[in-house]
Amino acid sequence: MSKYQTKILGTGKYHPSKVMTNDDFAKIMDTNDQWITERTGIKERRFAEKDELNVDMATHAAKMALKEANLQPDDIDFILYQVTLPDYYFPNSASNLQEKLGITNKCPALDINAACSGYLYGFVLADSLIKSGLYKNILLIGAEKTSNFNAFKDRSTSVLFGDAAGATVLSRSSEGESSAVLGSVLGSDSSKLDSLAMPNSAGANEVTHEMLENFEDKKVVMNGQVVFKNAVKTMAKHSLELLDNAGISMDELSWFIPHQANLRIIEAVGQMVKCPQEKVIVNVQKYANTSSASIPVTLNEGIAEGKIKRGDTILMTAFGAGLTSAGILIRY
């Protein structure tokens, strides 16, 4: 067993200022507030401006997390950056963030992509790097500009997504502290990868000027029933497995933070694991599905609002394209 344990030292978030309500969508497509709310629980979401890059959002969130952690940029010795659609194919987003933050220590900077599960994938990787003893302060980012691939004529998907960035500074727990990762699980069911995808993108298909001008040609393809069923089943399975392996009952769990994709999924998972509603932290109604940013944003808000306190046990679980899945149980 490693002599090092992982502690959340600081968190941060960023939301663009532009708010897109359900009523705003009703002005551009055949939908209404009632239809969207009943199916998703979402009331509004934020969209970045065209000149506001993914890394710009990540920079705001990272600065907030560094301030809360009481660290300087050069105290960071590893950057892990989850992004589904980066600003550039290369250089990677983590290197761009390193430059934006003024980090001069030449620390490693790595992008990962596990879609909505990516933040928790990064959390597990960061925990392993800290426990190895090789790294002390890791900056973990989940940043998504979903509006870059949102087909605003498709009401089945466009109302679901929003833009945001979440940041977490993970570090070594000091001797005698209780903060630790109590368990984690990662997975991917590639047999269903076509259930949630953006097929007309990147190197698999030639990018044409016509495609870039027409959102319909690069829209997200989603089989809602397959995604819903597998998201609920898998997130519930991971949650129960983590609690059982750690010997922690639902009564002993302090907080449950599921991926904020859809209120109906969140409610179904909560019912399957028999988690009291008052222990589930939810903000999907304000921000919609911000992919990998949803959990770090929700974590930040839970701490800022005074709900989450040191010593609390927190269960986090996610599900996304791939079909990737992840869960982690921590003591904050």
Side-chain angles (χ1 to χ4, degrees):
M1 182 166 175
S2 172
K3 66 178 181 178
Y4 300 116
Q5 292 298 323
T6 300
K7 173 183 180 178
I8 294 175
L9 206 58
T11 65
K13 68 163 189 169
Y14 176 77
H15 298 286
S17 59
K18 181 181 178 181
V19 177
M20 185 82 168
T21 67
N22 292 345
D23 289 334
D24 291 329
F25 268 107
K27 296 173 185 176
I28 61 174
M29 66 173 67
D30 181 20
T31 191
N32 56 63
D33 175 67
Q34 182 180 357
W35 189 91
I36 298 170
T37 303
E38 287 178 352
R39 287 160 178 76
T40 69
I42 298 165
K43 302 296 288 186
E44 59 186 44
R45 69 288 291 150
R46 306 289 186 91
F47 289 146
E49 299 295 340
K50 285 187 177 181
D51 60 351
E52 188 171 29
L53 300 180
N54 184 291
V55 74
D56 295 329
M57 297 194 297
T59 301
H60 287 295
K63 286 181 177 178
M64 182 185 293
L66 284 167
K67 183 177 180 180
E68 186 177 293
N70 197 27
L71 294 180
Q72 297 301 312
D74 271 336
D75 292 326
I76 296 298
D77 49 21
F78 205 113
I79 301 171
L80 282 171
Y81 194 129
Q82 154 62 38
V83 55
T84 305
L85 191 68
D87 298 321
Y88 313 105
Y89 286 128
F90 59 89
N92 69 7
S93 298
S95 295
N96 277 303
L97 180 62
Q98 183 187 64
E99 179 67 15
K100 288 270 190 180
L101 292 175
I103 296 175
T104 60
N105 61 17
K106 299 182 181 178
C107 69
L110 176 68
D111 281 12
I112 54 177
N113 183 0
C116 300
S117 306
Y119 171 79
L120 292 186
Y121 265 65
F123 204 122
V124 174
L125 291 172
D127 178 51
S128 299
L129 290 167
I130 288 169
K131 285 177 176 174
S132 74
L134 293 174
Y135 300 96
K136 182 179 179 182
N137 298 314
I138 297 178
L139 176 60
L140 173 61
I141 299 291
E144 306 286 3
K145 190 175 178 180
T146 65
S147 57
N148 271 348
F149 57 78
N150 217 344
F152 292 107
K153 297 177 184 177
D154 180 6
R155 77 170 186 171
S156 66
T157 59
S158 63
V159 300
L160 300 176
F161 297 101
D163 299 343
T168 307
V169 175
L170 299 169
S171 189
R172 294 176 192 164
S173 293
S174 300
E175 190 174 345
E177 287 187 313
S178 64
S179 297
V181 172
L182 305 177
S184 63
V185 58
L186 300 176
S188 182
D189 181 4
S190 58
S191 69
K192 300 179 179 65
L193 61 83
D194 290 337
S195 301
L196 182 55
M198 195 174 92
N200 292 323
S201 60
N205 292 278
E206 181 183 0
V207 179
T208 65
H209 289 294
E210 289 76 19
M211 183 186 298
L212 293 173
E213 292 171 1
N214 185 357
F215 271 125
E216 288 298 296
D217 287 336
K218 61 171 189 171
K219 70 180 180 181
V220 173
V221 175
M222 182 173 70
N223 185 323
Q225 289 187 337
V226 171
V227 173
F228 187 100
K229 178 181 176 181
N230 284 272
V232 172
K233 179 179 68 175
T234 306
M235 288 200 292
K237 178 178 178 291
H238 286 342
S239 299
L240 293 172
E241 177 185 328
L242 287 168
L243 290 171
D244 184 61
N245 289 344
I248 294 175
S249 69
M250 186 55 71
D251 288 339
E252 295 170 312
L253 183 71
S254 304
W255 299 103
F256 181 39
I257 303 178
H259 169 49
Q260 308 288 305
N262 179 313
L263 185 59
R264 307 307 160 220
I265 292 176
I266 294 170
E267 291 173 338
V269 174
Q271 290 168 5
M272 284 192 72
V273 301
K274 297 185 168 120
C275 181
Q277 189 175 354
E278 59 269 19
K279 289 187 177 184
V280 186
I281 303 181
V282 179
N283 60 19
V284 69
Q285 70 280 5
K286 297 188 293 182
Y287 309 125
N289 181 353
T290 57
S291 190
S292 68
S294 80
I295 287 181
V297 163
T298 310
L299 178 66
N300 169 268
E301 291 192 341
I303 295 168
E305 292 169 7
K307 293 178 180 178
I308 298 173
K309 298 178 175 61
R310 286 294 174 193
D312 284 356
T313 51
I314 306 169
L315 176 63
M316 298 180 279
T317 183
F319 186 87
L323 294 172
T324 62
S325 59
I328 195 163
L329 181 64
I330 67 169
R331 183 179 295 112
Y332 178 69

